[in-house]
Amino acid sequence: MSETEAASPTLPQLLSARERAETENRLLAARLDRVIPAIMREQGIDLWLLVAREYFEEPVVASMLDAENMHARRRTILIFYDPGQGKPVERLTVSRYGLGGLFAPAWDPAKQPDQWQAVAELIAARNPAKIAINTSDLYQFADGMTVSQYDKFTAALPAPLRARIVSGEGLAIRWLETRTPAEIELYPTILRTAHAVIAEAFSRKVITPGVTTAEQVQWWYRDRLLELGLTPWFHPSVAIQRQGAKGMLDGAEVIRPGDLLWTDFGITYLRLNTDTQHLAYVLKPGETAAPAGLRQGLANSNRLQDILRRHFAIGRSGNEVLALARAEAIAAGLEPSIYSHPIGLHGHGAGPSIGFWDNQNADPRGSGVINANTAWSIELTTYAAVPEWGGQRVDFRAEENAFFDGNSVRFIDGRQTELTLIP
């Protein structure tokens, strides 16, 4: 991890399909061994039931499928049971097919044809005090139990056990947001891959001033990822701010000398996601640097990043961090907008948000607390009047991915501190 991003980063060597699968399976096995026991005991849950159907995988189950099982099969039911401290958590699958050796098969259809009845018998034999299922009105990641499957489950479950059903919201969020040491060891290479592709996009290899349009750069990203065997988790954004022009210009707008370019780009690789926003300046003939006002604008956003990072603390809510960071930034003379979010197995990941671009006040989605060993997209902007552009108000968006170890927030592969220059 580093504070400053490498200039013109080189694209790391990418793994083959088999190597990727082996890596994903290794990471998943370590997550199941390490994270599940910790969060079940933290949340006080004895048994966690997860249900998915083929091509309709809920977010948690999707994250638990090995690399060869790309989808749930028919109906896949996963059960975690904690028999108590000092004993290993059972990982069971009540389904017709195994799951890469990560879950023990717990259903013989020849003996019990009814899958739900098999689930009920398994749970009754363990007699858990709390049975967690994924239901949540606030978090989409924790709302995977559908009405039809809930009805089938509760109809089969003995009546005394039905009263023990609770929401698994906390388990789902903690499972998805927690990053393991093995994942953090790989994350810098994943971020370096994304940074290298952005460096290509913001170069004369891709952009010819006076010819290339913003949308051509967007589609270049998509073609480049196809070549690399990588996938974006959202369509890349490219836009232009220009002296004398209002707002962001995009689409068929041609890139010109003197333009400030912005991009928002993210990839999924080895099941982990990146989310990065960078700025570039297109030099005018005779220029060797961007105008001082634009450079200062990026420095202001770097300063806001530092302010935000300082206010991370275990147990502090996203809303609290937002309020503290905004107050300090405004007192320092900055005009901030903060909209940071967790990142990891999803681009906009599970966990508390820290502001939204359209809401800089407390929000229910920011009420959750920040935990250690979580990854974040430090996404924000500052606005500033640029003297060289006649005092025009310019938007200096920045977004870099970082890791909170419980003590400090460190950038995973550095951050942009200087505008990229395009000759």
Side-chain angles (χ1 to χ4, degrees):
M1 299 188 188
S2 61
E3 281 299 297
T4 304
E5 184 183 329
S8 302
T10 301
L11 185 74
Q13 182 176 347
L14 299 177
L15 300 179
S16 68
R18 183 167 189 169
E19 289 169 332
R20 294 186 197 191
E22 290 171 347
T23 301
E24 290 172 8
N25 289 343
R26 174 173 59 83
L27 294 175
L28 176 56
R31 284 180 57 76
L32 291 167
D33 288 342
R34 185 186 185 100
V35 178
I36 290 295
I39 64 174
M40 289 188 72
R41 289 160 190 166
E42 173 192 279
Q43 299 289 316
I45 299 296
D46 309 286
L47 188 143
W48 190 15
L49 176 84
L50 302 164
V51 183
R53 301 168 78 181
E54 196 164 10
Y55 306 121
F56 195 66
E57 297 82 15
E58 64 117 301
V60 176
V61 174
S63 73
M64 293 177 173
L65 299 176
D66 62 274
E68 286 78 21
N69 283 288
M70 299 179 180
H71 296 281
R73 300 291 297 277
R74 299 188 185 179
R75 183 191 291 112
T76 294
I77 300 174
L78 304 180
I79 293 177
F80 298 94
Y81 173 65
D82 182 9
Q85 198 72 34
K87 299 178 182 179
V89 170
E90 286 188 279
R91 300 200 301 256
L92 308 172
T93 175
V94 185
S95 56
R96 288 186 176 274
Y97 305 94
L99 285 173
L102 298 172
F103 294 83
W107 180 38
D108 184 352
K111 294 181 179 179
Q112 173 52 270
D114 188 318
Q115 187 179 14
W116 283 116
Q117 188 58 40
V119 169
E121 292 171 1
L122 186 154
I123 294 175
R126 286 158 176 79
N127 194 31
K130 289 185 179 180
I131 303 167
I133 60 173
N134 284 357
T135 57
S136 172
D137 180 56
L138 184 59
Y139 297 112
Q140 72 274 28
F141 298 107
D143 199 29
M145 176 67 85
T146 65
V147 171
S148 64
Q149 302 309 288
Y150 177 78
D151 288 345
K152 293 285 187 181
F153 169 52
T154 53
L157 198 66
L161 292 176
R162 293 175 200 161
R164 304 179 191 181
I165 295 174
V166 298
S167 170
E169 178 182 280
L171 285 172
I173 298 303
R174 294 293 286 123
W175 162 257
L176 292 171
E177 76 171 355
T178 303
R179 303 276 66 80
T180 62
E183 289 174 311
I184 292 303
E185 184 179 350
L186 283 174
Y187 227 146
T189 297
I190 298 170
L191 260 297
R192 179 62 57 91
T193 300
H195 284 158
V197 175
I198 293 173
E200 284 186 68
F202 275 172
S203 75
R204 284 299 298 268
K205 175 182 177 180
V206 175
I207 295 173
T208 301
V211 176
T212 307
T213 65
E215 64 185 357
Q216 284 175 328
V217 182
Q218 289 177 276
W219 286 106
W220 174 88
Y221 274 125
R222 296 290 297 270
D223 287 335
R224 182 66 173 129
L225 292 183
L226 285 175
E227 292 174 1
L228 296 172
L230 297 172
T231 55
W233 64 270
F234 64 93
H235 185 57
S237 297
V238 176
I240 302 162
Q241 291 183 88
R242 179 178 295 153
Q243 183 177 0
K246 186 176 180 180
M248 293 277 190
L249 310 175
D250 56 16
E253 187 69 32
V254 173
I255 295 168
R256 303 177 188 170
D259 285 346
L260 180 68
L261 308 184
W262 161 79
T263 190
D264 190 354
F265 174 68
I267 64 170
T268 304
Y269 182 38
L270 301 175
R271 297 195 178 183
L272 293 169
N273 291 273
T274 73
D275 196 1
T276 306
Q277 295 182 45
H278 275 192
L279 298 171
Y281 178 72
V282 185
L283 292 167
K284 295 177 180 179
E287 284 186 320
T288 57
L294 296 182
R295 300 199 304 272
Q296 182 59 52
L298 176 58
N300 292 344
S301 291
N302 289 153
R303 189 177 179 189
L304 180 58
Q305 290 171 333
D306 292 336
I307 291 171
L308 176 60
R309 291 192 295 162
R310 282 200 299 272
H311 289 291
F312 271 68
I314 293 174
R316 185 173 281 173
S317 73
N319 289 334
E320 289 176 294
V321 172
L322 173 67
L324 290 167
R326 278 184 53 80
E328 182 178 341
I330 292 168
L334 300 176
E335 186 180 349
S337 180
I338 298 170
Y339 35 96
S340 298
H341 56 84
I343 193 168
L345 298 178
H346 300 88
H348 291 157
S353 296
I354 304 175
F356 295 87
W357 67 267
D358 55 351
N359 182 16
Q360 289 291 282
N361 299 307
D363 186 284
R365 293 164 292 179
S367 60
V369 300
I370 291 172
N371 291 293
N373 300 316
T374 50
W376 293 83
S377 205
I378 304 298
E379 183 177 9
L380 46 78
T381 193
T382 58
Y383 301 90
V386 175
E388 295 86 351
W389 285 13
Q392 182 174 328
R393 186 172 181 264
V394 176
D395 183 348
F396 294 92
R397 302 178 186 181
E399 184 173 16
E400 300 290 359
N401 304 150
F403 176 63
F404 177 54
D405 62 7
N407 295 308
S408 63
V409 179
R410 292 174 290 160
F411 290 111
I412 294 173
D413 186 46
R415 62 170 167 178
Q416 185 182 29
T417 56
E418 295 183 6
L419 295 173
T420 300
L421 300 177
I422 301 174

